[in-house]
Amino acid sequence: MEKLKPRTLSGFMELLPAPQQKFERMLEILRKNFALYGFTPIDTPIIESAEILLAKGGGETEKQIYRFQKGDSDLALRFDHTVPLAKYVALHENELCFPFRRYAIGKVYRGERAQRGRFREFYQADIDIIGDGKLSVVNEAEIPSIIYKVFSEFGLKRFCISVNNRKILNGFYAMLGLTEKSGDIMRTVDKLDKIGPDKVRVILVEDIGLSEQDAGEILRFIAIRGTNAEVLGRLEAYRGRDEAFDTGLDELTTVTKYLAAFGVPEENFAVDLTIARGLDYYTGTVYETRMLDHPEIGAICAGGRYDNLAEYYSDRSLPGVGVAIGLTRLFYVLDEQGMLNPDLLTAPADVLLLPMTDDFTAAVELATRFRNAGLRTQIYSEQKKFKAKMTYADKLGIPYVVFLGEDEIAQGTCSVKDLRTGQQVSLSPDEAVELIRKGISELNKGSVILEK
């Protein structure tokens, strides 16, 4: 039989066990912090009816979606967690308690061109708050404060959460008489960091049909820079010319005030008028997070406020705000930049138990005792030479090896060896548990990411 060549499809990521452990650590940090802020986990189907996913996608979504027929069903793979959330909330609106705070961590699919750091299948981690009829703007400040806490616990320090409000942008375009083209303008402006202001100007003029004067006004407006207070102060000069603009400015000012109250340092968030977000469903506050020392990576987290996402499924007003982390992309670029902690404990076990007798009963009992104490324990039961057993522990990075021979069994002890220091001691099972537990606790103190 001809053998098939094993391969991973382009745009899909498979990790070896050690980096997978680091990835899992990031997932643990996310779940812990999302729960800390009162979010509950839900999981929507990977496959949805195509009409559900395309109802409010907009922009490039329809080009990127994985869509297929199965019998008479028109199906598609979810491209994010937000659109399925709208369906979920509309379907269960009478069973949920509002404001509904949920998180979702799972794979999503986008059929874009695979390239370094861009995947077709990737993990996305979302948090969203859904209101019933109304949703306080305070929530729009709390969401990025959670991102600050998560990224800080990952080990990131030099990152910035950029904040803007689409009502400000829509209001400004209305001042220029460009309301009908505002969606196209925002999708173009959203590409500023990728293609630069000159190409944005060309698209605005040649493709969207703006005058050179209007294109110049827009580029000057979004180029407003300074401290958060200075940017907000300059925006005050436009107040009174458009109602939507004024509302957006009030909301942005409030979000900025509460972000500070939530404990986010000013060096980690900034008012940035270039942030628009390409998806059509955002209606108010929008966010993007970038690493300051690696602007080439682009946004590692983004989201915002949406008021009409459930309108295709329900007459009930269900406004929301949320943010998503492209976890696979973030992990890939951190690994590529050499920023993942090489000393992080990635072993599948805390201790490898080596029986030195033919009868494994005592070893099995000791392993059970270790596991009941919370220690991840493997028993090496293969008939290999001693050197091979130690090599196995070393390759997996297991920090402790426990030997259990006839002498230890007779004395009610075990021999514990710390493979990092080479130190070996004879201890009672309870003493061994405490020694190993303390050592593992120290090893687990390291963060996933080490900034250079």
Side-chain angles (χ1 to χ4, degrees), residues 23 31 35 47 59 75 135 149 165 202 228 249 262 264 281-282 330 370 397 409 434:
F23 189 80
R31 293 189 181 100
I47 300 175
L75 305 171
L135 186 66
K149 190 172 188 309
N165 193 298
V202 170
N228 293 328
L249 181 53
F262 274 119
V264 183
Y281 53 63
Y282 292 115
L330 174 61
F370 282 174
I409 294 172
E434 289 307 310

Side-chain angles (χ1 to χ4, degrees), residues 93 310-311 313-317:
E93 60 183 29
E311 65 183 343
Y313 322 115
S314 174
D315 292 330
R316 190 170 175 176
S317 176

Side-chain angles (χ1 to χ4, degrees), residues 29-166:
I29 290 171
L30 288 167
R31 293 189 181 100
K32 181 189 73 174
N33 281 286
F34 292 165
L36 190 64
Y37 283 80
F39 288 80
T40 188
I42 69 167
D43 186 20
T44 60
I46 288 176
I47 300 175
E48 295 271 13
S49 168
E51 67 176 359
I52 294 291
L53 296 183
L54 291 171
K56 193 67 175 176
E60 297 292 310
T61 302
E62 192 163 356
K63 298 177 185 177
Q64 296 179 355
I65 197 170
Y66 278 101
R67 188 175 183 179
F68 58 96
Q69 294 287 136
K70 182 67 175 177
D72 295 331
S73 300
D74 184 10
L75 305 171
L77 301 182
R78 66 185 181 198
F79 62 87
D80 72 0
H81 292 301
T82 309
V83 175
L85 171 65
K87 177 221 69 176
Y88 179 94
V89 173
L91 183 63
H92 301 289
E93 60 183 29
N94 294 323
E95 304 157 81
L96 298 174
C97 184
F98 294 93
F100 176 56
R101 300 163 73 92
R102 85 85 173 90
Y103 73 84
I105 303 173
K107 290 181 176 180
V108 298
Y109 299 83
R110 296 183 187 176
E112 53 188 351
R113 185 171 66 87
Q115 49 189 307
R116 290 174 63 190
R118 292 283 182 184
F119 294 88
R120 293 167 175 167
E121 175 191 70
F122 56 95
Y123 272 90
Q124 193 164 288
D126 285 35
I127 47 173
D128 289 86
I129 305 172
I130 308 296
D132 185 7
K134 294 183 179 180
L135 186 66
S136 168
V137 71
V138 176
N139 296 292
E140 297 172 39
E142 185 176 30
I143 290 285
S145 76
I146 300 168
I147 295 303
Y148 168 76
K149 190 172 188 309
V150 166
F151 282 179
S152 296
E153 194 164 335
F154 280 171
L156 286 172
K157 297 179 180 66
R158 288 187 43 76
F159 63 91
C160 184
I161 303 168
S162 298
V163 186
N164 196 11
N165 193 298
R166 283 178 69 134

